[in-house]
Amino acid sequence: MADIGISLGRAPLPGARRLPRPRGEALLLLGLALYVGLFSAFPLLRLLSEALGANAEGEFLGTLRESWSSRAVRRAFWNTLGASGAAVAVSALLGTALAFCVTLAPVRARVAATFLILSPLLIPSQITALAWIELFGSSSPLLAPLGLAPTPGTPNPLYSGTGIALLMGIEHMPFVFLAVRASLLAVPQDLIEAARIAGVRTGRVVSHILLPLALPAVLAGSILAFAAALGNFGVPALLGIPGRFPMLTTLIYQRLAGFGPSVMGQVASLSMILLAMAAAALCARGVLVRRLSVPIAGGQPLRPLLRGRAAVAAGLFVWGAILLTAVAPLLALVGASLVPAVGVRLSPETATLANYAATIGASGTVRRAFANSFQLSLGAAAAAVLIAIPLAYLCALRRSGPARLVQSIADMPFVVPGTVFALAMILVFLAPLPLLGVSIYGTATILFLAYAARFLPLVLRPTTSALEAVEPALDEAGRMLGARLFRRLAFIVAPVVAPAAVAGGLLVFMTAFNELTVSALLWSSGVETVGVMIFSLQYEGNSTGAAAISTLSVLFVLLLALLLDRLGRRLPPGTLPWRS
Amino acid sequence: MPLLAKIALPLLAASMLASAAQAQEGTITVYTSQPTDQMNAVIEAFNRDHPQIAVEVFRSGTTELMAKLQAEFAAGNPQADLLLIADSVAMTQLKNDGRLEPYADAPVDGLPEALVDPDRTFFGTKLITTGIVYNTDLVQTPPASWADLTAEGVASGVIMPSPLYSGAAVIHVGTMVQQPGFGWGYYEALADGGAVAGQGNGTVIEAVARGEKAYGIIIEYMALNAKANGSPVDFVFPQEGVSTITQPVAIVKGTDNREAAQAFVDWQLGRAAQEQSVAQGYFPVIAGVEPPAGYPAVADLTILPADTDRMLAEDQEIKMQFADLFGG
C-alpha cells in the first residue's frame, strides 16, 4: 500500500501520459487495427469503390447518379426515411414509458417483465413479422375465435407503411428501454431523497429531475433504434413486398436476387444511400450525447418511488404492453405452428404436431441448421468479446486516438444493412486468399467472420461504456508498478468489464443464433442456419413449418436465457440485462 | 482350369463390383429450387438405391440460385456438382456460358424429345404447369380463363409470383407476353386493375390460402398439395392453356465426382424418381406413369407455345418490364 502511495506521489498522472506509449500497446493496437481493417473496413471500402465508380458511359459517380435518378430508388428512400422515423417515435415513446414504469414502480415479477420487454431483441424480425401476420390475418388463431379478425378477402392491415413502422417500432424499442433504464438506475437515490426532503412531489421529481436526466439516453437509444430501422430487412420483406411499400433494404435484396452480381454497382450505390443516412444519424447522436450528458456522482441506486394508484397504473401499463407486443404475437405463432395447412382455422380437431414432425423429425437439414447456428454464434460471441475488451481498454482508459478510429470503423458493419455487409464480404472473400490459395466463400469461415465483425459493436459498446466509468488511475497504478499490458488487461481490466462484456457476448450469441440477413447471402450447402431455414420454408409457402421452427428456436433462446438466469445469481451484477 | 475358373471368376466379378461401387460413392452437392421437405424425401429415396453417395443440398429460388452460381463462378470455385432448377432458360444460359457438362450416355429412352437438350447437357425431370389458384371461401364462380383475371373486381384480388425470384414465373411471363392474345397488354391490364406480385410461388399460396387474396397465378402442385392438406383453395387449368416448366437436372462442369453425379441424373430419369414426383404432386414425364389423382392426363393439357431462344434473349428486358409494372 505504501509503495503505491509513493510511486503515485513521484509520478503525477499528467506526467505519466507524456511517457511514450509502451511497445506492447502499439503492437496490440496494430493487431486490432489489422483485424478490424481486414474484416470490417476493407470489404466496405471495396463496396464503396464499386458504388462510387463510373457507370458504363464512364461518367464520374455515374452509378450513384443513375440510381438516384430512378423513381423506384427515390420512392424507396422516402419510404425508408418515413417508416424509420415513425418507427422511432413508437420505440421512443414505448421504450421510455416502459423504462420509467419498470424502474419507478414496484412492478410484479420485474425480472420476467424486463426479460419480456427485451424479448424483441432475441426474436429475429422475420419471426416477429410472421407472428404479427398470423395475429392480424383473417385466419388469426387468436382473433378469429373472438370474432375480431379482419373479414376474409381484405388484405392484412399490416401490409402497409404504418404496419411496417409499428412493427419496427416495437422491435427496436429495447434499444431505448435499455438506455433509459441504465440512465435511471445511475441516478443516485440521494438526489431523490434530497428533492423529497425539500418537499418536491413525486410527479415533479419524475418530470423535472428524472426526465431531463434521462433525455440524453432517450435520444441515444432512439438514434440506435433509427439506425436499426434503416437496416431492418425482415419486417419490410414480409410486410412491404406484398404491401407494395418498397424500402431500400428490400430494393437491394430484390435487385440482387433478380439480376445477380451484374447489378453489384447499382446495389452498392443503393447501400451507400442507406449508409449516408445511418452515418448522419450516428454523428448527430455523438454530438447530442456530448452536449446533453450531465455527470452525476455515484451513490445508492434509485429505488422505486411510485406508490398507491400510480404504482398500480404503471404495473398495469407494463403488463398490458407486454401482453400486446410480446405475448400475443408469440401465441399466434405457436397457434400457426399447430394447424395442418395455411388458412385452416385452429381448433382442437385441427391441431396437429405434424409440422414439428415434418421439419425436425424428418429432416436432418433442420437439425444440422440448429447445430450450425449454435456453433457459429458461440464462436462469433467469443471472438467479439476477445476483440472488444482490449479495444475498449485502449479507447476508454488509454484514450488512444487511433484506437477510437478503429472503434468507429468497427461500428460500420453493424450500421450498414446486413445485406450490404454480406455483399461486401462476398466482394472481398470470393476470390482465393492471396497466400493460402483457397477461397473461404461457400464455407462456414465466411459466416463466422461476418457474424464476428457485424456483431462486434454489441460487445464493444457496453464494454467501452463500462470502462469509461472506471478511474484511469487504477490502470496507471498498475503501469507504474510495472505490470505488463496483458497482466493489466487480465487482472485489472477484464474483471471490471466482465459483466458488460459477457452481457454483450450473450446478446451476440442470441442475435446471431437467429440471424437471417447476412446468412441469406453467405450460407452454403452443409452450412445452413436457423434463420435461413425459417425464411426458406416461409418463402416456399410452408409458413406452418416455418412457424414450427420459429417456435422451437424462440423456445431454445428462452431456455438458454432461463439457464443463464439461474447462473446469473453467481455472475456479477449487470451481466444479464433483464436482472439490472 | 475349371478349378482356376471357379476361383478366378467370382474374384473377377467381385473386383468389378467393387470398382463400380467405388465409382459411385462420396459426396455430391445439388443446387435446387425444389421445396426443402420434398428434396429431403428425394434424397432419402435416392439413398435407398445409392447408400454410398451422400447428397448435400442448397435450396433457393431459381433466380437467386443463378445469382449465387454466378458469384461462385466468378470466384473460380463452383460448389455445385448438380443443378435441379425450375427452368430450361436458366439452363440454356448456363450451357451457353460453358458451365454444364455434357452427359452423352444419359438414359433418355422414354423421355419426350422436347425435354432433352440436343447437346445432352440438361434433361427435364418433371412437367410443372402454371395456372390459377383461388380461395374457395371467397370465390363462388371459379375463373375459367386467363382473361377472367383481368375483369373488374377480380384483378384487385390477384397475386402472382415475380420473375425476379421464381424460375417458373420467368417462363410464365415470358410465355404469356409471346402470345398474340395477351402480350404486355395483359400484364398492364392486371397492374391497372390492382393485381400485385409477391416473391416466389410460396407467397402466392400463402396469400390465397390465408384469404388475403382471392386469386393467384401459381404452379399447380403447390396449390393442389395445399388443397390436399386442407387449405381452402382449388386450382384451375385455364382454357387458353398453361405454360410449362420441366425442372431440368444437369451436371456442372468441373464436378469432382462425375460418377456419382451421373448416378444422380440416371436416378432422376428413372422410374423410382418419377413415381416419387407423382406422389409429390408433379406430372410425370416418362410414359407409363400415371399423373397424381385428380390431375388431367398430360395429353389433355393445352400447352401454350413458347420460343425459349427468344425468351432467353429477352430475359433481362422481361424482368425489367415486369418490375416497372409491379415494383421491385
Side-chain angles (χ1 to χ4, degrees):
Chain A
M1 282 309 259
D3 278 354
I4 295 175
I6 290 163
S7 24
L8 278 176
R10 265 194 221 145
L13 292 181
R17 283 213 189 89
R18 258 182 265 120
L19 288 171
R21 203 163 278 285
R23 198 190 302 159
E25 232 164 82
L27 276 178
L28 181 68
L29 181 62
L30 189 69
L32 291 170
L34 268 179
Y35 175 88
V36 170
L38 198 56
F39 301 122
S40 300
F42 182 47
L44 288 170
L45 284 174
R46 262 301 291 277
L47 197 70
L48 191 72
S49 75
E50 196 88 26
L52 300 183
N55 60 359
E57 285 83 50
E59 273 181 305
F60 175 65
L61 289 184
T63 318
L64 195 62
R65 274 198 268 180
E66 253 169 37
S67 297
W68 187 244
S69 64
S70 141
R71 216 163 43 127
V73 171
R74 262 183 294 186
R75 196 172 49 197
F77 169 80
W78 289 113
N79 283 350
T80 303
L81 200 62
S84 304
V88 169
V90 175
S91 301
L93 285 175
L94 195 60
T96 309
L98 283 172
F100 268 81
C101 289
V102 167
T103 315
L104 300 183
V107 173
R108 277 170 190 279
R110 183 199 309 275
V111 172
T114 312
F115 179 79
L116 285 170
I117 290 169
L118 295 180
S119 65
L121 283 182
L122 307 180
I123 298 167
S125 53
Q126 100 256 25
I127 296 186
T128 311
L130 191 61
W132 281 80
I133 292 171
E134 300 294 350
L135 184 62
F136 272 86
S138 53
S139 57
S140 165
L142 290 187
L143 297 185
L146 302 174
L148 291 173
T151 15
T154 55
N156 191 318
L158 290 176
Y159 292 149
S160 62
T162 319
I164 292 174
L166 180 72
L167 252 65
M168 292 201 308
I170 289 172
E171 213 200 326
H172 305 136
M173 169 274 288
F175 289 115
V176 181
F177 176 84
L178 276 176
V180 175
R181 181 150 159 79
S183 82
L184 285 179
L185 287 174
V187 174
Q189 180 70 18
D190 306 348
L191 197 64
I192 307 301
E193 311 259 297
R196 279 279 175 71
I197 292 165
V200 183
R201 300 173 60 134
T202 310
R204 262 184 97 77
V205 171
V206 173
S207 64
H208 281 68
I209 300 178
L210 293 176
L211 206 54
L213 282 176
L215 192 63
V218 174
L219 281 171
S222 299
I223 292 172
L224 280 186
F226 181 69
L230 289 178
N232 194 311
F233 171 71
V235 172
L238 266 71
L239 299 181
I241 293 176
R244 294 172 113 177
F245 189 85
M247 309 242 301
L248 285 170
T249 48
T250 49
L251 194 62
I252 290 169
Y253 171 75
Q254 282 175 304
R255 294 255 160 110
L256 200 70
F259 301 101
S262 62
V263 293
M264 197 61 129
Q266 199 190 79
V267 165
S269 67
L270 294 186
S271 69
M272 281 312 121
I273 298 173
L274 260 184
L275 188 60
M277 293 163 85
L282 293 175
C283 287
R285 175 176 183 257
V287 173
L288 283 172
V289 171
R290 221 170 300 138
R291 284 270 167 86
L292 293 176
S293 68
V294 185
I296 34 181
Q300 280 290 311
L302 194 64
R303 283 194 296 270
L305 54 90
L306 295 183
R307 305 266 178 277
R309 287 231 297 266
V312 173
L316 279 179
F317 169 73
V318 168
W319 278 103
I322 288 171
L323 277 180
L324 267 177
T325 61
V327 178
L330 283 183
L331 285 181
L333 187 70
V334 174
S337 75
L338 296 175
V339 297
V342 183
V344 180
R345 288 271 173 96
L346 181 66
S347 71
E349 292 81 51
T350 56
T352 167
L353 289 173
N355 294 310
Y356 291 90
T359 46
I360 301 294
S363 163
T365 322
V366 173
R367 285 196 298 270
R368 188 167 56 193
F370 272 93
N372 287 338
S373 282
F374 187 87
Q375 291 166 29
L376 280 170
S377 35
L378 199 64
V385 168
L386 283 180
I387 296 295
I389 291 179
L391 186 53
Y393 164 76
L394 291 179
C395 288
L397 282 186
R398 303 296 304 149
R399 314 220 181 273
S400 150
R404 281 200 197 152
L405 184 66
V406 172
Q407 190 184 27
S408 17
I409 293 170
D411 267 345
M412 304 292 275
F414 190 65
V415 171
V416 303
T419 320
V420 173
F421 186 60
L423 269 180
M425 292 294 280
I426 294 177
L427 263 181
V428 170
F429 292 107
L430 193 62
L433 297 176
L435 293 175
L436 303 171
V438 286
S439 169
I440 62 164
Y441 180 73
T443 66
T445 315
I446 196 166
L447 268 176
F448 163 73
L449 289 173
Y451 282 4
R454 178 153 165 84
F455 299 124
L456 177 59
L458 288 181
V459 192
L460 201 49
R461 278 177 195 153
T463 311
T464 311
S465 45
L467 273 179
E468 263 159 7
V470 168
E471 181 54 51
L474 200 64
D475 179 60
E476 303 277 356
R479 273 183 73 193
M480 275 165 260
L481 284 172
R484 287 275 182 104
L485 175 63
F486 288 98
R487 250 181 111 75
R488 295 201 310 278
L489 276 177
F491 295 106
I492 300 178
V493 176
V496 177
V497 298
V502 171
L506 202 66
L507 211 54
V508 172
F509 179 83
M510 290 172 172
T511 313
F513 186 75
N514 280 318
E515 204 282 334
L516 166 68
T517 330
V518 170
S519 324
L521 287 179
L522 296 181
W523 78 282
S524 45
S525 57
V527 205
E528 325 52 19
T529 69
V530 173
V532 167
M533 287 318 298
I534 293 169
F535 189 65
S536 299
L537 286 174
Q538 212 262 338
Y539 183 106
E540 292 163 17
N542 183 2
S543 66
T544 48
I549 299 187
S550 303
T551 305
L552 287 177
S553 83
V554 168
L555 260 183
F556 170 72
V557 171
L558 291 185
L559 279 178
L560 197 77
L562 267 181
L563 187 74
L564 279 164
D565 194 66
R566 293 274 132 194
L567 295 173
R569 290 168 199 173
R570 290 197 214 141
L571 288 173
T575 309
L576 305 176
W578 56 89
R579 275 214 169 261
S580 57
Chain B
M1 198 56 182
L3 184 69
L4 196 64
K6 261 187 193 163
I7 299 168
L9 274 178
L11 271 179
L12 202 65
S15 72
M16 279 172 76
L17 270 177
S19 70
Q22 220 161 32
Q24 298 194 349
E25 64 182 21
T27 305
I28 46 172
T29 303
V30 183
Y31 278 23
T32 185
S33 59
Q34 217 173 325
T36 308
D37 47 354
Q38 283 192 357
M39 202 55 201
N40 284 332
V42 166
I43 292 160
E44 214 181 290
F46 174 72
N47 277 339
R48 276 200 291 274
D49 295 343
H50 297 275
Q52 311 293 328
I53 303 177
V55 185
E56 298 279 359
V57 174
F58 181 90
R59 198 225 87 89
S60 192
T62 299
T63 323
E64 265 191 281
L65 272 181
M66 291 291 283
K68 169 121 177 140
L69 273 173
Q70 297 300 348
E72 291 182 358
F73 289 136
N77 188 20
Q79 309 281 315
D81 297 298
L82 287 147
L83 305 175
L84 181 62
I85 56 180
D87 71 87
S88 49
V89 168
M91 285 294 195
T92 308
Q93 192 188 332
L94 288 168
K95 181 181 88 172
N96 293 347
D97 293 346
R99 301 298 185 189
L100 301 183
E101 178 148 321
Y103 179 17
D105 304 329
V108 293
D109 302 339
L111 213 59
E113 202 164 315
L115 297 187
V116 179
D117 167 42
D119 299 317
R120 295 282 194 275
T121 58
F122 60 87
F123 314 91
T125 64
K126 305 173 181 68
L127 190 66
I128 306 171
T129 67
T130 294
I132 302 169
V133 63
Y134 63 94
N135 184 301
T136 48
D137 294 341
L138 299 175
V139 176
Q140 267 71 52
T141 327
S145 72
W146 292 114
D148 288 349
L149 292 186
T150 53
E152 211 183 310
V154 174
S156 61
V158 172
I159 182 168
M160 68 193 98
S162 161
L164 302 186
Y165 299 86
S166 153
V170 170
I171 300 282
H172 183 70
V173 175
T175 306
M176 290 297 275
V177 299
Q178 285 182 10
Q179 308 306 313
F182 297 118
W184 279 109
Y186 179 70
Y187 283 98
E188 276 158 23
L190 280 175
D192 291 344
V196 298
Q199 290 158 274
N201 286 275
T203 55
V204 173
I205 191 65
E206 292 265 328
V208 176
R210 278 178 206 287
E212 283 157 10
K213 293 285 170 193
Y215 309 89
I217 297 174
I218 198 170
I219 47 183
E220 88 288 295
Y221 75 87
M222 232 177 229
L224 289 166
N225 285 352
K227 180 190 174 190
N229 286 334
S231 290
V233 295
D234 209 344
F235 184 80
V236 172
F237 293 89
Q239 62 194 30
E240 300 97 331
V242 289
S243 69
T244 60
I245 51 173
T246 57
Q247 194 153 45
V249 63
I251 300 173
V252 179
K253 193 168 265 177
T255 170
D256 47 17
N257 198 343
R258 180 177 296 118
E259 283 75 17
Q262 289 182 346
F264 188 81
V265 172
D266 296 350
W267 189 84
Q268 275 291 332
L269 302 180
R271 207 171 171 96
Q274 287 296 309
E275 277 166 0
Q276 183 180 43
S277 41
V278 168
Q280 292 182 336
Y282 296 97
F283 283 107
V285 290
I286 59 173
V289 181
E290 289 299 307
Y295 284 41
V298 178
D300 294 344
L301 290 172
T302 315
I303 292 172
L304 294 168
D307 176 349
T308 39
D309 289 340
R310 196 178 129 198
M311 224 183 272
L312 182 65
E314 294 170 353
D315 186 50
Q316 292 282 316
E317 229 178 293
I318 290 172
K319 288 177 183 168
M320 278 296 183
Q321 195 141 2
F322 187 91
D324 266 356
L325 281 174
F326 294 97

